[in-house]
Amino acid sequence: MSTSTGAGQERKAAGRPRNAQADESILDAVLALLSDGQSVAAISIEAVAAKAGVGKATIYRRWPNKEALLIDAVRAMKGPLPEPSGRSVREDLIALVRAHRTPRAQRYSKVTACLLPELLKDTELGRMYEAFVEPRREMTRQVLRRGVETGELRADLDVEMTQLMLSAPGMMQSMLRLNLGVPEEKFAETVVDAVLRGAAS
Amino acid sequence: MSTSTGAGQERKAAGRPRNAQADESILDAVLALLSDGQSVAAISIEAVAAKAGVGKATIYRRWPNKEALLIDAVRAMKGPLPEPSGRSVREDLIALVRAHRTPRAQRYSKVTACLLPELLKDTELGRMYEAFVEPRREMTRQVLRRGVETGELRADLDVEMTQLMLSAPGMMQSMLRLNLGVPEEKFAETVVDAVLRGAAS
């Protein structure tokens, strides 16, 4: 298994010279179908091929089945997580929340929303999604644990709940397209400061 | 329009004596289909009738179309909101969060998850859902505003963000069935105290 983050490198490593443009169109077609509210069941290799403007054979050369294609599409959507700078817990948390607010990540939220019925079933896709999301949660936990150690965060912090409190508002806001009256460029900071400072006077 | 909260009374007001048992079976069938991950498009009056063990005519006597039926099913799912006791903001917030943790509300979260692709489109159902959820958000806002006035909450509180921070973790936890290591009977209290006290030391 290559640990490369670049899809292009992965393809070279597998010894399969490819049309990167076509691959991108294919993954993009899957995401477009999902963000349009197509259920996983309704998406067919035929539909993806038609949307991407390629033949079915082009898809089958790269992906053995629809599930593998869906998993790659979801994976392709999210960019790499930012490296926590380690300057302050507050700054690192803002960077982590902000990484979920890019247009790419916003599209991801919308696709996740459309995948939810599928993720709720105990499917291979659900397990892969979990395997994909979990390291991202873990990165937030690590920053929170560091904050407890340095004394920036309270000693009795519930790390798991705090991790969810940092991620859930943004996901719900994206999924339900809520207008919170917070300008997008202030969103991450507003969430993190609300979590850090608390609501009590 | 009757403002009665009892479906039975609404029916009486409309002058249509009915089989309450059949109505409940019908709404329950819709919810069962939705929690099984059926998309809105896939649900037909035929399927609901079959699942409920009634004839299609019984459904059409009460609901003019599928959308009206779906809206009633979603509405039927959630019980009435608790009246804030007004003793303390903390107690009221715990009661409001707890109202979303009953088995009935948990089922609601699962159904919402399966409705999400539909809610993301600009459908009549989406607008009705919003009209249904909004008063519940408003109740939380009112408790928060009261807390700012009484001095229990900070004067510069972002009411909208705080409202989302109180509701989003529970919704995400239910939708994705996350195990946070918090016993269910402590969930509401844990969320509220995390929001109130903040993570900073």
Side-chain angles (χ1 to χ4, degrees), chain B residues 39-201:
Chain B
S39 68
V40 168
I43 291 176
S44 63
I45 296 289
E46 283 82 355
V48 174
K51 185 114 190 162
V54 303
K56 279 169 62 178
T58 306
I59 298 181
Y60 280 120
R61 260 200 297 279
R62 176 77 172 94
W63 293 278
N65 53 46
K66 184 170 80 172
E67 283 62 41
L69 177 58
L70 283 169
I71 287 162
D72 264 15
V74 170
R75 190 179 284 143
M77 208 172 6
K78 262 201 170 174
L81 269 185
E83 293 284 324
S85 73
R87 260 174 302 183
S88 77
V89 163
R90 179 175 177 274
E91 279 174 65
D92 281 356
L93 293 177
I94 290 172
L96 288 171
V97 173
R98 193 169 282 151
H100 293 283
R101 307 298 301 180
T102 61
R104 172 190 273 255
Q106 293 289 295
R107 190 184 193 193
Y108 168 83
S109 290
K110 203 170 156 194
V111 168
T112 302
C114 292
L115 282 176
L116 262 182
E118 198 63 21
L119 298 181
L120 285 171
K121 298 180 208 163
D122 190 25
T123 58
E124 182 66 18
L125 184 66
R127 282 185 290 275
M128 292 300 288
Y129 171 80
E130 185 60 26
F132 173 66
V133 169
E134 182 53 26
R136 293 159 191 274
R137 294 192 190 116
E138 183 57 23
M139 185 168 281
T140 301
R141 286 187 203 108
Q142 281 172 10
V143 173
L144 292 172
R145 284 191 208 109
R146 194 186 88 216
V148 172
E149 278 165 31
T150 62
E152 286 163 275
L153 303 183
R154 53 168 66 237
D156 64 350
L157 188 74
D158 185 329
V159 168
E160 204 57 31
M161 181 60 82
T162 307
Q163 186 274 128
L164 185 60
M165 290 180 66
L166 287 162
S167 61
M171 284 209 73
M172 292 303 297
Q173 187 276 329
S174 302
M175 282 184 177
L176 297 175
R177 296 182 191 162
L178 303 173
N179 178 7
L180 300 177
V182 175
E184 182 50 42
E185 67 273 18
K186 287 279 182 194
F187 189 90
E189 207 175 323
T190 304
V191 169
V192 170
D193 283 338
V195 168
L196 289 178
R197 303 190 307 171
S201 56

